Amino acid sequence: MPENDRLSGCLDEINLEFVEREATPRLLMKLSIQLHLAGLSLSNTVLFLEVFGVERVRSTVHNWVHKADLQPESGRSPNHVAVDETVIRLDGEQYWLYAAVDPKTNDLLHTQLEPTTNNALADRFFADLRDKHDMDDATVLVDGSASLQRACRKHDLDFRYERHGNRNSVERVFREIKRRTTSFSNCFSNAKAETADEWLRSFAFAWNQLIRTLRPRNIRLNQN
């Protein structure tokens, strides 16, 4: 498939139904959303628009991203799912990020941001994961987290303890999220948890789009 066809397919999945009155051409809006979620800062995204003679402030692009309400697609049937939790900081506060990744495709299946970690929150994470995807035949790869293992048992999920190997896929996602939340202070220095949670879902959409674009070119993300 030609490169421009792959990129056009990614843009087609960005819905701009929220737009009522906006002078910016829709193609540039979609490109801005995609570029920011792919790793471009808000400041540099604004500079990108200026190349085309469009002057917008960072908050405008930020609003485009959140109003687009991008979500990773549901209905997957993975064979294995790597699950983990990690700490990120938002506006000086500590939050726990739960994430599930398909190690075969590197797709990000589900995220959940919480102010703490406990058994009830782990239970809810797996309940939401099962609502979104067919987990009946999946093996969940977990580390030594007692709450994650307990939640797997509660939801009758087959799980296996694994510290490395296929679980590296979720660690790669965590590294990128931490890089983004640390580097892009104009996004996260004053971010509320709800806003960050929305961004994480949008990030999951963009991450999966990137993986899909790279996959036909046989680029293996686990070779780094």
Side-chain angles (χ1 to χ4, degrees):
M1 181 183 293
E3 188 75 18
N4 60 336
D5 287 348
R6 290 204 298 268
L7 293 175
S8 296
C10 295
L11 293 177
D12 288 343
E13 294 190 34
I14 298 177
N15 193 324
L16 298 181
E17 288 184 356
F18 65 88
V19 176
E20 294 180 359
R21 295 182 180 180
E22 173 58 59
T24 309
R26 292 193 172 217
L27 177 59
L28 286 180
M29 291 178 66
K30 289 186 176 186
L31 282 171
S32 299
I33 292 170
Q34 185 180 40
L35 288 172
H36 174 58
L37 290 174
L40 202 64
S41 69
L42 287 174
S43 297
N44 286 332
T45 305
V46 167
L47 292 176
F48 161 79
L49 288 171
E50 289 179 358
V51 172
F52 296 91
V54 177
E55 294 187 4
R56 295 292 180 270
V57 296
R58 293 178 302 182
S59 60
T60 298
V61 178
H62 173 83
N63 289 336
W64 290 347
V65 172
H66 286 278
K67 289 181 179 179
D69 192 28
L70 301 172
Q71 306 272 346
E73 67 179 12
S74 57
R76 303 290 184 91
S77 300
N79 292 322
H80 293 84
V81 177
V83 173
D84 205 351
E85 55 187 1
T86 192
V87 174
I88 64 174
R89 300 193 70 84
L90 301 172
D91 196 20
E93 298 293 331
Q94 176 176 293
Y95 287 85
W96 284 86
L97 171 64
Y98 294 81
V101 176
D102 182 341
K104 181 178 180 180
T105 63
N106 288 295
D107 284 342
L108 183 51
L109 302 175
H110 182 50
T111 61
Q112 179 175 304
L113 190 65
E114 300 290 351
T116 186
T117 179
N118 55 43
N119 290 338
L121 295 176
D123 288 345
R124 188 171 75 179
F125 174 78
F126 278 104
D128 291 345
L129 180 63
R130 296 205 69 163
D131 284 343
K132 291 185 175 182
H133 304 285
D134 180 3
M135 296 287 293
D136 289 344
D137 297 322
T139 298
V140 180
L141 308 177
V142 297
D143 60 5
S145 169
S147 62
L148 292 179
Q149 293 186 16
R150 174 190 170 280
C152 286
R153 295 188 186 96
K154 180 176 180 178
H155 291 278
D156 295 322
L157 292 170
D158 180 36
F159 71 93
R160 184 173 76 229
Y161 171 81
E162 188 169 315
R163 291 194 60 186
H164 302 292
N166 283 330
R167 287 193 71 258
N168 288 340
S169 56
V170 73
E171 294 298 333
R172 283 191 293 274
V173 173
F174 282 159
R175 284 198 297 270
E176 178 61 13
I177 290 174
K178 288 184 176 183
R179 184 187 72 81
R180 297 287 300 275
T181 55
T182 301
S183 301
F184 292 179
S185 57
N186 56 10
C187 279
F188 292 95
S189 59
N190 298 304
K192 302 300 181 183
E194 182 179 356
T195 301
D197 208 19
E198 291 174 358
W199 180 86
L200 285 165
R201 290 193 294 270
S202 298
F203 169 83
F205 167 88
W207 174 271
N208 294 349
Q209 291 289 344
L210 175 63
I211 296 299
R212 185 184 305 174
T213 302
L214 295 179
R215 196 176 294 132
R217 299 164 63 186
N218 296 317
I219 296 178
R220 295 176 59 86
L221 296 186
N222 54 354
Q223 294 180 347
N224 55 357

